[in-house]
């Protein structure tokens, strides 16, 4: 029942439901990873079952692929799709320029590959994800396991010359073992507090040996759909320079909530 959702979950749900309207039959759509993206997949699954929407989804993680299949979405690989009409994904932070930090769910590499292979990227988020400056959320950096401590030391040394407030870096853990990504890599979380120049930091990070990719998404996002706990949804289009707001109502017997 939607009445049992917290305000944050309501915000995520209305953002996802609004973003699902961008998907049209015949499209090839990148499906993000994370709690907000999971709402999107459920919303799209309902449109497939109830309204006959037909599209092909390219998931950004094994978790998303499993959920998409469960709700009736046709899943294909990016190699099969080759290019996508649209990717819809969540974000851990976004700023006024629609630069993002992503990777809190551990899928930043596939998420960035899929997003950049799309004509358009739409981000869905609750209002709390908007920040004046990126960096309060730890920045994930995916590194290969071989020599990861060397990569960590090189990153920490590099951060001395960067416009950041914090320089602590930690290996992400899963219990008492290192977290392993879908590509069998590790993730280093950089606790930077504030990133003064995200574009520069992203470029320098990816020059460090052992670094596969980082969670800064620069000049990739085209629209952000921001949900609020009262059902309001704001859509900002950075290319058109427009901001629109709508109000979505909650349906108490919505099928989406039966498994919650």
């Amino acid at each position: 029942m939607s009445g049992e959702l917290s305000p944050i979950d309501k915000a995520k749900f209305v953002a996802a439901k609004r973003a699902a309207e961008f998907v049209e039959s015949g499209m090839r759509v990148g499906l993000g990873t994370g709690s907000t993206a999971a709402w999107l997949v459920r919303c799209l699954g309902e449109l497939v079952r109830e309204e006959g929407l037909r599209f092909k989804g390219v998931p950004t993680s094994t978790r998303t692929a499993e959920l998409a299949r469960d709700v009736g979405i046709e899943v294909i690989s990016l190699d099969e799709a080759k290019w996508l009409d649209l990717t819809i994904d969540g974000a851990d932070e976004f700023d006024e320029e629609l630069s993002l930090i992503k990777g809190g769910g551990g899928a930043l590499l596939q998420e960035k590959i899929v997003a950049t292979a799309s004509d358009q990227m739409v981000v869905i988020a609750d209002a709390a994800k908007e920040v004046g400056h990126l960096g309060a959320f730890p920045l994930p950096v995916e590194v290969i396991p071989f020599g990861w401590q060397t990569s960590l030391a090189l990153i920490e040394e590099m951060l001395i010359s960067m416009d950041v407030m914090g320089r602590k870096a930690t290996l992400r853990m899963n219990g008492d073992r290192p977290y392993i990504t879908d590509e069998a890599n590790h993730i280093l979380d950089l606790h930077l507090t504030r990133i003064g120049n995200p574009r520069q930091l992203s470029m320098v990070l990816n020059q460090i040996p052992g670094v596969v990719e980082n969670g800064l998404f620069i000049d990739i996002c085209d629209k952000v759909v921001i949900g609020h706990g009262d059902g309001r949804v704001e859509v900002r289009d950075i290319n058109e320079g427009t901001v629109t707001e709508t109000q979505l109502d909650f349906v108490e017997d919505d099928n989406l909530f039966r498994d919650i």
Side-chain angles (χ1 to χ4, degrees):
M1 298 288 285
S2 58
E4 299 171 358
L5 293 179
S6 68
I8 289 293
D9 280 334
K10 288 181 180 179
K12 292 177 179 182
F13 165 62
V14 294
K17 191 167 186 177
R18 175 66 180 87
E21 297 174 10
F22 294 120
V23 178
E24 301 174 1
S25 284
M27 279 187 168
R28 293 159 296 180
V29 180
L31 304 174
T33 296
S35 59
T36 311
W39 281 115
L40 169 76
V41 174
R42 292 188 184 102
C43 288
L44 289 172
E46 184 179 50
L47 292 175
V48 168
R49 296 189 304 272
E50 304 294 333
E51 299 186 19
L53 178 67
R54 292 292 179 267
F55 71 97
K56 296 180 180 180
V58 175
T60 55
S61 68
T62 54
R63 300 192 304 278
T64 297
E66 290 169 0
L67 177 60
R69 292 188 182 98
D70 287 346
V71 299
I73 295 171
E74 181 182 355
V75 171
I76 62 172
S77 69
L78 182 58
D79 287 336
E80 291 175 294
K82 295 184 173 59
W83 194 258
L84 306 178
D85 300 286
L86 173 68
T87 287
I88 307 177
D89 203 349
D92 298 302
E93 284 185 346
F94 69 91
D95 64 14
E96 65 179 1
E97 297 179 352
L98 303 194
S99 296
L100 319 170
I101 285 181
K102 290 180 50 55
L108 67 97
L109 179 56
Q110 288 191 27
E111 288 173 338
K112 189 173 281 191
I113 292 171
V114 168
T116 54
S118 304
D119 287 336
Q120 184 175 201
M121 182 191 190
V122 174
V123 161
I124 48 179
D126 60 88
K129 298 297 194 305
E130 183 172 12
V131 296
H133 296 277
L134 299 178
F137 190 92
L139 173 63
V141 178
E142 187 158 341
V143 298
I144 66 171
F146 176 81
W148 72 265
Q149 294 188 55
T150 299
S151 299
L152 173 60
L154 290 170
I155 289 171
E156 290 178 328
E157 181 179 3
M158 175 273 296
L159 289 174
I160 295 173
S161 62
M162 291 291 107
D163 183 8
V164 295
M165 289 184 65
R167 298 186 182 93
K168 181 181 179 182
T170 57
L171 177 67
R172 186 178 297 185
M173 302 297 290
N174 182 13
D176 60 354
R177 297 175 179 270
Y179 178 87
I180 303 297
T181 69
D182 279 355
E183 291 74 36
N185 294 319
H186 293 335
I187 288 183
L188 303 177
D189 288 311
L190 311 188
H191 305 268
L192 307 177
T193 307
R194 181 183 183 276
I195 301 171
N197 191 332
R199 188 184 307 276
Q200 179 192 42
L201 180 60
S202 179
M203 292 177 62
V204 174
L205 275 169
N206 283 6
Q207 298 303 310
I208 294 175
V211 170
V212 181
E213 190 53 83
N214 70 82
L216 286 166
F217 284 50
I218 312 295
D219 298 332
I220 296 176
C221 177
D222 299 284
K223 292 186 180 74
V224 61
V225 182
I226 307 167
H228 298 264
D230 60 2
R232 287 181 298 118
V233 183
E234 181 182 339
V235 179
R236 300 181 195 171
D237 187 321
I238 196 167
N239 299 316
E240 299 293 334
T242 58
V243 180
T244 59
E245 187 171 298
T246 55
Q247 181 78 34
L248 295 184
D249 296 324
F250 293 99
V251 180
E252 291 295 323
D253 61 354
D254 200 314
N255 292 333
L256 294 172
F257 305 103
R258 290 181 179 174
D259 59 350
I260 295 176

